Amino acid sequence: MRRVKSNLLWVALMFWVGIAQVYWQLGLHIANYSNASLHTSAFEILKGLTLLGSDILILLLGYFLSQKGHRESTIVKAWLNTLVLGILASILVAFSTNQLAKVTVFHTDFFNAVFPLLRNTYPLIFGSLLGLILTAVINNQKFVWRRPTLIGIWLLMIVSLFWTPNIWGWTSDHLTLFYALLFVLGANIKQENRQQKWFLITCSSLLSMVVLQGIMPFMSIDGQTVSRFTTPTNIFTILAAYGIVKLTLKHLRQPNWRSLYSYLTLIENTALLASVQLTFKLHNAYGSLKSGIITIIFLLFALACAYIWCGLSTGDFAKHRLQRINSFTSRPAEVQLQLIKKQLYAWMPNISLGMISYLIAALSMLLMNDGFSVSPNVDATYNIFAYTFGQRELLLLFTAFLIFAVIKFIQALTNRYWVGVISVIAISAAFIVANHEKIVARNEPILPADLAMVRVAKNLFGMVDGVIWAIALVSLALLIALTVWLEKTHPLRNAVGGVTQRLLFVLLAPCLFATAFLWNHQNTPFNNLMASIDDQPMFYNQLSGARINGPLLQFMNKIDVTVMVKPAGYSQQTMTAIVHKYHLDAQQINRQRTNSFSKQTIIFNLSESFANPQRVPGVQLKSNPVPYITKLRKQNTGGLMISSGYGGGTANMEYMALTGFALTNFSPTLPTPYTQLVNNLKNNPSIAQQFKSAIAIHPYNGAFYNRTEVYRKFGIDRFLYLGSKYPIRHQKKIDRSPYLSDQTSYQNVLDQLTNYHGGRFINLVTMQNHFPYNQHFYNEISKYQATKVSAGTDKSSVNDFATGIHHTDEAMKQFITAIDQIKKPITVVFYGDHLPGIYGNEMTKDGLKLHETDYFIYSNRYAREHGARNYKQKTAYVAPNDFIAMAAKQTNSKVNWYQALLTRVYEQLPVITEDVQASGNVNAYNSNSRFITQKGKILKENQLTKKQKALLHDYRLVQYDVTAGKHYVVKTMK
């Protein structure tokens, strides 16, 4: 019965302490009372009574814990328990929610758990452990100053009553030393029979405490000292606690230390407290009663977890480790030091691996930057070292852990220590260099979509500078030689581990990397974890993502792909209604049209990087390098196309032009539909399917962006590329350029026009003006060279590029002349896919200009004689997804229901595009949608009219159905 009574008293005390530690940290409404009123007095008294519990607990811990043997062992076990349980609790909190940023900075909470003593985050626990050490010294028989020391401690506590703030710095966040001294007093409590004396002392102390706390709101001059006596360091609170302990000692027995310290760990863990605060914030539960209920629930949860943890920590596995601690602490200090050195020596190979992994993680992040500053936000710029090591610690540690797991994976497979270390160093170096090269060329890091380029590795490698290859080959040879030498002279088989350990590491790395398939699934544990450690996928800004997350995490962020968010109201009935609605629209449109689309010859010509440099702010050329195309734009249907990319994204513009779907409607996790989406769909409607014959021509390697498979899926029956069974003919290059000329492209198109007499679709993707632009490919650059460039722009690159597009201009003139002689209706839709990434302009300032490329639609003489006509309405600005509707309108061709929808989108909506002013010169994939008016004004979606929003919703429903939904309308689109 006494044991039950003692346990109940301990549980009550634990709840008392829990309320003091949790309840008052939740930002309650009553905690805002600070004026001179009875409400404030009541609040101060209530809070003061709860704070009394912490003092009672520490005094009791001092009394009981000082009687235990193996004090060193107790201290080590308590510290390890706090460390392990605190870290585990913090990680579980990170898994549980992705909303922690609303109430706390998680990396601070995590490091509070990792370094509990250094960061003073568990004052009750470490105050008692420090007190145990002090007690051992003071109560030692050889210590002659024991009584004066105890008197001195009492005097320290009395003196603090007369100063505010506390003269010793004992505040709510810095109580470890105070609790240590209080522990010493508790260790020297003696049970006495004079209960009446201590009852009077306790009552008078409580009364003094309550009176002081109650009158302070009326005594405070400026309201800053209202809570002066509402603190556990108040001498009357200490005396009251001391008296209560004196009166209750005979009713208590030794507590369960493991469960008690585990409970204290949980209620003092800042991450757990933040999760409780988040519950209050999300549910607006700031009332006293609701707060009390949630606090009690949390304390019950903490108590239950503490007992469960206590049970787990007394199992066979834990017992063996605890016995080793007992054995270690019972030995002399000299022996302990030798054992520590021996253990560190045994762990050193893996400690070295951890350091190497961290170094690789840090270097990979730092080397993504081209200077000594980084701008994670538009309005903030930081030193890269301060930002990387001061703000991205958890991401660095997580990346290092991934790299460490890969090293151990290779070691476990090969049973070779140095093979694992050096191979991962080599792979990491190659990965970092590849990212750097792609950033230089395309302003974006390596993405999973780039793995589709493995089949064209030879061509990709051809774009890498020869010096880099030479350095890479020499480095590889040296690393192989070093590996062989180390394995022969310094083999570390023991560091690899036994069979069981090796098996665990073989499984660990694949499991860790497999979690990336869940990172972007909202509100899942792994998504919550990545959000908690401040992983910022930056789907709309790949380069920024690589700089603030590191290239490895940015790569993994792109593995989990969601095609498109389901629009509201999506169902089979809705899609049937949409088909019917736009079928009626098609009938109305077709009343005014006479031609059949399928009997036309339509050429979509994507001209690589074609955009007149004269439009770029700050850039001036001697003369216009593209006078003929400028003339075509003005005299025919033409204007500016808004690209969704800058410096890259060719396949995305091509996808939009061929399908009519806007890239910005897709999820941010889908930056490249060609490689991420098309292969996964059975049906991929495109303009090519409207024709009996469809041809694609690309005077380069056809496997880039998976084009060989994409074109087949789109209904293109013949693809001409280098190495295909349909050869590229008339091959010519200009000066020192490695790419086939645009003249070559147009000659191959003319071949296809003359050998087929019916309607046909031709998709031409040129290559002549592809990067790099600083290799001095062309001879005659003086005529179109830059006289002025914007800050940060390489003048020689502009010169080379301008000369290249001039050659395009000349080739186009010859091509137009040739098709005008052909007696069948031919219409050319010419457009540049994006600007080259050579301009140093600020995207936030000049973003729209940096996304404007040239386009025109030209119908040959025969087509114009048979109904084709130019038009100037809504042509100043267009998007690639407008070209199907525009080509049908230009050729006066009848449309089906889907083309009618595209026609309404083209005619009634502003140009749909990405956020063209996203910070940095990057490809801003699938960020917030923006709309460009015919006057060049940038609108947000909420600025559209009600009718426009309804049309946009229909458009998105169709795009969702075809690409991510149930495909209800696919069969009706052909």
Side-chain angles (χ1 to χ4, degrees):
M1 183 58 113
R2 186 182 174 190
R3 166 61 68 180
V4 173
K5 183 179 180 181
S6 175
N7 288 341
L8 289 174
L9 286 173
W10 278 111
V11 169
L13 180 58
M14 289 163 75
F15 269 90
W16 192 350
V17 173
I19 291 172
Q21 295 295 313
V22 177
Y23 187 68
W24 302 114
Q25 298 190 38
L26 299 178
L28 314 173
H29 291 314
I30 61 171
N32 295 325
Y33 295 147
S34 59
N35 59 329
S37 68
L38 293 177
H39 282 101
T40 305
S41 295
F43 160 67
E44 295 296 333
I45 293 170
L46 179 62
K47 184 178 180 181
L49 289 172
T50 59
L51 294 178
L52 185 63
S54 300
D55 286 2
I56 294 172
L57 177 66
I58 291 297
L59 288 167
L60 286 172
L61 286 175
Y63 178 81
F64 286 107
L65 204 55
S66 62
Q67 299 175 15
K68 285 177 60 68
H70 305 291
R71 291 177 180 175
E72 288 183 47
S73 176
T74 300
I75 293 170
V76 173
K77 289 175 186 177
W79 174 72
L80 286 175
N81 184 74
T82 304
L83 178 69
V84 174
L85 183 57
I87 293 174
L88 182 61
S90 298
I91 292 173
L92 290 176
V93 166
F95 274 112
S96 67
T97 178
N98 59 11
Q99 302 289 311
L100 280 175
K102 292 182 177 180
V103 293
T104 187
V105 178
F106 179 73
H107 75 263
T108 300
D109 298 329
F110 179 80
F111 286 115
N112 285 344
V114 175
F115 304 106
L117 182 59
L118 294 176
R119 296 173 72 95
N120 193 31
T121 47
Y122 296 89
L124 285 169
I125 295 173
F126 287 98
S128 63
L129 297 182
L130 177 59
L132 187 58
I133 296 172
L134 293 176
T135 299
V137 175
I138 293 171
N139 289 359
N140 190 304
Q141 292 181 353
K142 296 180 180 179
F143 188 73
V144 296
W145 297 95
R146 176 174 171 273
R147 185 177 179 82
T149 300
L150 294 175
I151 294 172
I153 292 174
W154 279 109
L155 289 174
L156 287 174
M157 294 183 174
I158 293 171
V159 166
S160 66
L161 179 71
F162 301 101
W163 274 272
T164 181
N166 190 297
I167 191 174
W168 312 124
W170 295 339
T171 62
S172 58
D173 296 325
H174 299 86
L175 291 172
T176 301
L177 181 59
F178 167 73
Y179 284 141
L181 297 177
L182 197 60
F183 182 97
V184 173
L185 296 181
N188 288 275
I189 289 178
K190 302 199 182 305
Q191 291 193 37
E192 298 184 19
N193 295 324
R194 293 180 292 176
Q195 297 290 315
Q196 188 175 3
K197 167 190 170 184
W198 280 104
F199 180 78
L200 291 173
I201 293 174
T202 302
C203 289
S204 59
S205 298
L206 278 173
L207 180 61
S208 300
M209 180 187 80
V210 168
V211 169
L212 286 173
Q213 292 166 354
I215 65 171
M216 269 314 294
F218 300 94
M219 298 292 292
S220 178
I221 297 174
D222 56 3
Q224 299 296 313
T225 57
V226 168
S227 299
R228 175 176 178 178
F229 299 110
T230 311
T231 168
T233 62
N234 176 7
I235 186 58
F236 296 108
T237 303
I238 297 168
L239 283 172
Y242 197 87
I244 291 172
V245 170
K246 281 271 194 179
L247 295 172
T248 56
L249 272 180
K250 65 179 181 180
H251 303 291
L252 294 171
R253 301 179 66 179
Q254 285 272 357
N256 183 323
W257 301 110
R258 290 191 182 91
S259 59
L260 177 58
Y261 274 117
S262 298
Y263 172 79
L264 292 178
T265 299
L266 294 176
I267 66 170
E268 290 191 290
N269 182 273
T270 54
L272 275 173
L273 290 175
S275 68
V276 180
Q277 290 172 338
L278 180 63
T279 303
F280 277 69
K281 184 177 181 68
L282 294 178
H283 295 90
N284 196 27
Y286 294 104
S288 304
L289 181 59
K290 285 184 179 179
S291 302
I293 292 172
I294 294 176
T295 300
I296 294 298
I297 292 172
F298 171 70
L299 295 179
L300 286 170
F301 168 78
L303 191 62
C305 289
Y307 278 105
I308 293 170
W309 178 256
C310 180
L312 294 173
S313 62
T314 55
D316 292 336
F317 177 83
K319 269 185 180 179
H320 177 65
R321 268 68 187 171
L322 293 174
Q323 287 171 358
R324 290 177 62 181
I325 292 173
N326 289 336
S327 174
F328 172 81
T329 55
S330 63
R331 301 187 182 192
E334 297 81 6
V335 178
Q336 290 179 3
L337 184 60
Q338 291 300 319
L339 288 173
I340 291 172
K341 288 181 179 179
K342 183 179 179 181
Q343 191 62 60
L344 284 175
Y345 181 79
W347 286 345
M348 192 52 65
N350 284 327
I351 292 174
S352 299
L353 289 188
M355 294 171 66
I356 291 170
S357 300
Y358 187 83
L359 181 62
I360 292 172
L363 285 174
S364 68
M365 187 179 293
L366 292 171
L367 292 175
M368 292 303 100
N369 294 275
D370 52 7
F372 291 99
S373 62
V374 62
S375 299
N377 302 305
V378 176
D379 57 348
T381 299
Y382 306 105
N383 175 276
I384 59 170
F385 297 103
Y387 181 75
T388 300
F389 298 106
Q391 297 293 321
R392 313 302 283 166
E393 309 104 315
L394 282 186
L395 280 178
L396 276 180
L397 287 174
F398 184 70
T399 305
F401 183 51
L402 290 172
I403 296 169
F404 178 85
V406 174
I407 296 174
K408 297 303 293 185
F409 174 79
I410 297 174
Q411 289 179 348
L413 285 179
T414 62
N415 198 26
R416 296 289 188 276
Y417 179 85
W418 296 109
V419 170
V421 176
I422 297 178
S423 60
V424 169
I425 291 175
I427 292 169
S428 300
F431 184 65
I432 293 170
V433 170
N435 272 280
H436 181 268
E437 288 299 300
K438 192 182 178 193
I439 287 170
V440 169
R442 291 277 302 277
N443 287 305
E444 68 177 15
I446 300 293
L447 303 174
D450 295 323
L451 297 181
M453 304 291 190
V454 170
R455 289 177 295 170
V456 289
K458 181 179 178 181
N459 304 89
L460 285 172
F461 294 157
M463 297 179 183
V464 180
D465 192 282
V467 175
I468 294 177
W469 274 118
I471 295 172
L473 291 173
V474 171
S475 301
L476 181 61
L478 290 174
L479 287 173
I480 291 173
L482 179 63
T483 304
V484 172
W485 180 77
L486 286 171
E487 286 293 350
K488 284 185 176 181
T489 59
H490 298 82
L492 295 174
R493 297 288 186 272
N494 292 336
V496 177
V499 175
T500 303
Q501 206 172 12
R502 288 173 61 190
L503 180 61
L504 289 174
F505 280 117
V506 166
L507 296 174
L508 177 62
C511 290
L512 278 175
F513 282 88
T515 64
F517 289 98
L518 301 172
W519 287 6
N520 297 326
H521 282 58
Q522 291 297 308
N523 299 314
T524 59
F526 289 108
N527 173 260
N528 295 340
L529 174 67
M530 299 311 293
S532 295
I533 66 175
D534 202 25
D535 175 39
Q536 300 175 34
M538 302 287 284
F539 298 116
Y540 60 91
N541 194 325
Q542 307 289 356
L543 179 54
S544 260
R547 286 173 170 170
I548 67 174
N549 300 321
L552 177 58
L553 287 192
Q554 186 65 9
F555 180 91
M556 295 176 71
N557 279 327
K558 303 300 170 289
I559 292 176
D560 179 18
V561 175
T562 299
V563 175
M564 190 174 171
V565 176
K566 182 193 293 188
Y570 175 72
S571 68
Q572 185 172 6
Q573 292 77 11
T574 300
M575 300 316 299
T576 301
I578 285 177
V579 172
H580 178 69
K581 175 182 178 180
Y582 292 100
H583 177 71
L584 295 177
D585 258 7
Q587 290 178 343
Q588 183 180 350
I589 293 170
N590 292 339
R591 290 194 190 106
Q592 308 297 323
R593 298 189 181 182
T594 57
N595 290 333
S596 171
F597 212 9
S598 62
K599 292 182 180 180
Q600 304 291 313
T601 295
I602 304 295
I603 303 169
F604 274 18
N605 175 197
L606 182 156
S607 185
E608 173 61 41
S609 299
F610 190 94
N612 193 334
Q614 290 182 311
R615 277 194 307 276
V616 177
V619 175
Q620 296 178 4
L621 306 182
K622 277 188 175 181
S623 57
N624 182 7
V626 288
Y628 183 73
I629 291 176
T630 302
K631 177 182 174 182
L632 285 176
R633 274 182 48 206
K634 292 179 178 178
Q635 294 181 349
N636 299 274
T637 304
L640 300 176
M641 188 202 84
I642 304 301
S643 174
S644 290
Y646 171 81
T650 299
N652 293 337
M653 308 315 123
E654 191 181 353
Y655 176 85
M656 288 190 279
L658 295 177
T659 64
F661 294 141
L663 191 70
T664 187
N665 288 338
F666 285 126
S667 163
T669 63
L670 188 80
T672 314
Y674 263 25
T675 54
Q676 295 176 281
L677 174 64
V678 176
N679 266 4
N680 300 326
L681 296 177
K682 185 177 181 180
N683 294 295
N684 286 273
S686 77
I687 185 176
Q689 295 169 3
Q690 304 298 312
F691 298 82
K692 290 182 179 180
S693 174
I695 301 293
I697 301 172
H698 181 47
Y700 200 63
N701 191 299
F704 273 105
Y705 293 108
N706 201 31
R707 281 193 177 96
T708 52
E709 182 63 19
V710 168
Y711 288 158
R712 186 185 68 80
K713 290 268 192 175
F714 279 171
I716 293 174
D717 45 55
R718 185 174 295 185
F719 181 22
L720 284 67
Y721 61 92
L722 294 180
S724 70
K725 64 179 180 179
Y726 309 108
I728 298 290
R729 303 182 186 278
H730 317 291
Q731 295 188 19
K732 291 183 180 179
K733 297 178 181 178
I734 303 172
D735 299 333
R736 292 167 299 282
S737 174
Y739 306 119
L740 291 176
S741 67
D742 284 355
Q743 185 181 21
T744 296
S745 298
Y746 296 134
Q747 285 292 333
N748 279 271
V749 172
L750 289 171
D751 287 348
Q752 300 304 316
L753 292 176
T754 56
N755 66 15
Y756 189 83
H757 300 291
R760 170 177 269 185
F761 176 76
I762 298 176
N763 185 60
L764 170 65
V765 179
T766 67
M767 194 66 184
Q768 175 188 290
N769 297 315
H770 200 277
F771 78 90
Y773 307 105
N774 58 355
Q775 303 299 305
H776 307 291
F777 288 153
Y778 304 113
N779 294 327
E780 299 178 6
I781 64 172
S782 59
K783 188 174 182 180
Y784 304 104
Q785 69 182 2
T787 57
K788 180 183 177 183
V789 295
S790 53
T793 300
D794 179 34
K795 194 172 184 178
S796 64
S797 294
V798 176
N799 294 340
D800 236 34
F801 173 74
T803 306
I805 62 173
H806 174 68
H807 288 298
T808 299
D809 194 68
E810 292 180 328
M812 177 58 70
K813 184 175 183 179
Q814 297 173 16
F815 180 60
I816 294 297
T817 301
I819 64 171
D820 267 339
Q821 308 305 313
I822 299 174
K823 298 300 181 180
K824 63 178 180 179
I826 301 171
T827 295
V828 179
V829 178
F830 172 93
Y831 63 101
D833 55 343
H834 55 75
L835 276 76
I838 58 177
Y839 304 110
N841 301 60
E842 287 292 331
M843 196 66 69
T844 51
K845 180 182 177 183
D846 301 325
L848 182 58
K849 291 295 183 183
L850 294 177
H851 287 84
E852 294 176 352
T853 70
D854 301 78
Y855 90 93
F856 66 81
I857 302 177
Y858 179 84
S859 295
N860 71 342
R861 184 179 297 118
Y862 186 90
R864 295 195 302 272
E865 291 170 352
H866 292 79
R869 59 182 183 272
N870 297 318
Y871 57 94
K872 292 298 181 181
Q873 298 80 24
K874 202 174 183 292
T875 57
Y877 291 96
V878 302
N881 46 286
D882 292 326
F883 288 144
I884 295 176
M886 294 181 74
K889 184 175 182 178
Q890 172 89 11
T891 57
N892 197 29
S893 296
K894 297 180 184 293
V895 296
N896 61 24
W897 74 266
Y898 176 58
Q899 292 159 354
L901 169 63
L902 293 180
T903 301
R904 296 310 184 207
V905 169
Y906 161 64
E907 292 177 343
Q908 299 177 16
L909 286 179
V911 174
I912 306 173
T913 188
E914 315 291 338
D915 183 358
V916 294
Q917 293 180 317
S919 176
N921 292 343
V922 298
N923 293 313
Y925 293 132
N926 312 4
S927 59
N928 297 323
S929 296
R930 293 292 184 267
F931 300 84
I932 314 298
T933 70
Q934 290 302 292
K935 294 183 178 180
K937 182 180 179 181
I938 302 173
L939 303 179
K940 294 183 179 180
E941 188 169 333
N942 59 10
Q943 294 175 280
L944 300 179
T945 67
K946 185 176 181 181
K947 184 178 179 181
Q948 288 174 326
K949 289 177 181 177
L951 175 58
L952 179 62
H953 187 63
D954 287 348
Y955 179 46
R956 286 174 173 165
L957 280 165
V958 173
Q959 184 167 337
Y960 175 81
D961 181 70
V962 172
T963 61
K966 302 285 186 170
H967 316 303
Y968 297 125
V969 305
V970 169
K971 291 182 180 180
T972 68
M973 296 176 71
K974 295 183 179 179

